[in-house]
Amino acid sequence: MIRAVKGTRDLLPPSTEVWNSVEEAARRVFRAYNYREIRTPILEETQLFARGVGEETDIVTKEMYTFEDRDGSSLTLRPEATASVIRAYIEHRLDQRPGVQKLYYLGPMFRRERPQKGRYRQFFQIGAEAIGSESPFVDAEVIEMVMEFFRAIGLEGFQLLLNSVGCPKCRPVYIARLREELAKAAPSMCADCRRRVETNPLRVLDCKVPEDQPIVEALPSILDHLDPECRAHFDAVRQSLTDRGIAFELRPRLVRGLDYYMRTTFEVVHGALGAQNSVLGGGRYDGLAESLGSKVPAPGIGFSIGEDRLVMSLEETRGEEFKPQLCLFIAPLGERALRESALLARDLRRLGISVEIAADARLKRALELANKLAARYALILGEDEIASGKYTLKNMATGEQVSIAREELPARLGRG
RNA sequence: GUGGGUGUAGCUCAGCUUGGUAGAGCGUCGGAUUGUGGUUCCGAACGUCGCGGGUUCGAAUCCCGUCACCCACCCCA
């Protein structure tokens, strides 16, 4: 038997209904913030990610789906979308368009990791980027938009974590300071941390081993090492969030795994997701365009939402609410009735009313099916009804039946 | 890449310790007479017991190998 490849999966109804309502809500909310959709290719030149995401990151060193095209060029299935969006911004000179470029995207990303709960090799992200401004006001607005989106889909029980990771000027100073401290503390820490001291000292801050926590908490905070510009930026972001009534938790030890982040970084975590509890990651990336070879600067901030994880947490708490309903189930009795119901169904469907027809079932069987499909109404269409012109409409919830003329049906059924 | 767990009907699982050629619930399909669902009752279909090898008169059950899936680490969405 041929199966879906490891780490990929089929999304089936009724789950796809949840996916659709999540995506519809995102489009609606983002549009209200004047974001518009961008669709970039799923395939890019490998160099885009190598340079954009960072040569030394885990994504680039071991997680990319990279292959050689027939002409010998190296292509990669996108592991994330920000680099592509910036590439498109540069390529199409969007900096020449008026105002801040606000773009959103949604679609599949690919990383060749070992799958586990909430982690897939093909996974879906919904993200947005605001490019062309360094203003902390934009940072706060982007975060507010995310919060409004979560509110729109009714997500609860999440936490917004906020930090600043400084900039290429002040971060190295901090990392040097961190290394000094770690040189002393590392020997008594876990094996992973001892390794991280060499590879990526910032990651030590993210250590989850309980025994290491006292040491981690005593390490110097990056927030004490921001240079004046980064400091002012971060203060302004926090002030604007407070002005907007957005609750956040300051997490000086929040670090991100992609190289391009600077200054503001944020994350949203949700319980009931297993070990992969992060549903959103985002931050500012003012230097990304230049590292992709752009002559024009493109300071920006954005986020990406792990749609798989988001849907998972929605389904955990309120999966029932997304069950779609069938409005009308038609049970035709006999050939004439079947032909008549085809025309009736088409007319109702034109009005947006969902209709199903039992093409070949006895009445009992048809009603059984109507019940299983959770139809709100069943329409019984037999010889009597055709003769009299009055159809029998049954309310499936109450069992109540009324005799109704064809013309009255749309009003009676309402929309949907 | 590393560790642990699990593979038996469409789904959820029992049976495995103490080998004797497969079960339950749900679902699907049919029936309980004429054009009335949800409840109930009766019945049916569906299994190379993940795969390969070994031990044995006999293997879902014991042994070896292998594959797949899940969870966790790493890292991230």
Side-chain angles (χ1 to χ4, degrees), chain A residues 150-309:
Chain A
F150 286 160
R151 197 174 69 90
I153 59 175
L155 185 73
E156 283 167 1
F158 62 87
Q159 239 184 334
L160 170 63
L161 312 178
L162 186 73
N163 193 22
S164 172
V165 293
C167 67
K169 288 203 295 285
C170 59
R171 187 162 42 200
V173 179
Y174 170 67
I175 290 176
R177 181 72 211 293
L178 202 56
R179 276 218 163 85
E180 272 174 44
E181 293 296 319
L182 286 173
K184 290 178 279 183
S188 54
M189 301 185 78
C190 70
D192 286 331
C193 282
R194 291 202 299 277
R195 182 176 45 78
R196 291 176 183 132
V197 172
E198 302 306 321
T199 58
N200 188 349
L202 286 176
R203 291 239 73 94
V204 175
L205 299 172
D206 210 26
C207 180
K208 286 153 196 121
V209 176
E211 295 76 44
D212 284 359
Q213 292 316 297
I215 298 172
V216 171
E217 279 164 35
L219 289 171
S221 164
I222 190 163
L223 295 181
D224 298 327
H225 294 77
L226 298 179
D227 63 29
E229 291 78 20
C230 289
R231 173 93 254 157
H233 185 93
F234 194 48
D235 288 344
V237 171
R238 282 191 291 175
Q239 182 61 54
S240 184
L241 287 175
T242 304
D243 290 347
R244 295 163 194 263
I246 294 169
F248 59 89
E249 197 170 314
L250 211 53
R251 279 290 171 88
R253 296 194 298 280
L254 174 67
V255 289
R256 304 236 55 90
L258 284 64
D259 282 358
Y260 53 61
Y261 285 121
M262 58 177 281
R263 292 191 170 169
T264 313
T265 58
F266 55 103
E267 179 165 337
V268 173
V269 294
H270 193 282
L273 277 183
Q276 309 305 319
N277 66 347
S278 173
V279 282
L280 172 149
R284 182 162 276 286
Y285 44 81
D286 295 349
L288 177 55
E290 282 93 335
S291 64
L292 291 178
S294 170
K295 289 173 291 278
V296 296
I301 180 164
F303 62 82
S304 64
I305 294 165
E307 193 175 359
D308 306 75
R309 295 177 186 179

Side-chain angles (χ1 to χ4, degrees), chain A residues 42-116:
Chain A
I42 283 175
L43 276 176
E44 296 272 7
E45 270 182 45
T46 300
Q47 271 305 301
L48 174 66
F49 305 115
R51 283 153 63 180
V53 177
E55 299 277 5
E56 301 306 317
T57 58
D58 279 11
I59 291 178
V60 172
T61 57
K62 51 188 194 198
E63 295 173 4
M64 293 203 304
Y65 276 100
T66 297
F67 62 95
E68 188 176 293
D69 198 0
R70 293 184 182 206
D71 66 1
S73 56
S74 180
L75 302 181
T76 294
L77 254 37
R78 64 181 185 191
E80 60 108 47
T82 301
S84 298
V85 173
I86 297 302
R87 193 221 78 233
Y89 177 93
I90 298 165
E91 184 171 335
H92 302 287
R93 293 308 305 260
L94 299 188
D95 58 298
Q96 297 297 301
R97 296 192 182 188
V100 175
Q101 294 304 299
K102 294 170 146 185
L103 301 164
Y104 76 84
Y105 59 85
L106 74 203
M109 309 293 160
F110 304 84
R111 294 184 199 172
R112 200 181 181 292
E113 298 178 271
R114 195 76 172 264
Q116 68 187 72

Side-chain angles (χ1 to χ4, degrees), chain A residues 389-400:
Chain A
K390 290 279 197 178
Y391 300 170
T392 302
L393 183 68
K394 182 183 184 83
N395 181 319
M396 292 300 289
T398 62
E400 197 177 4

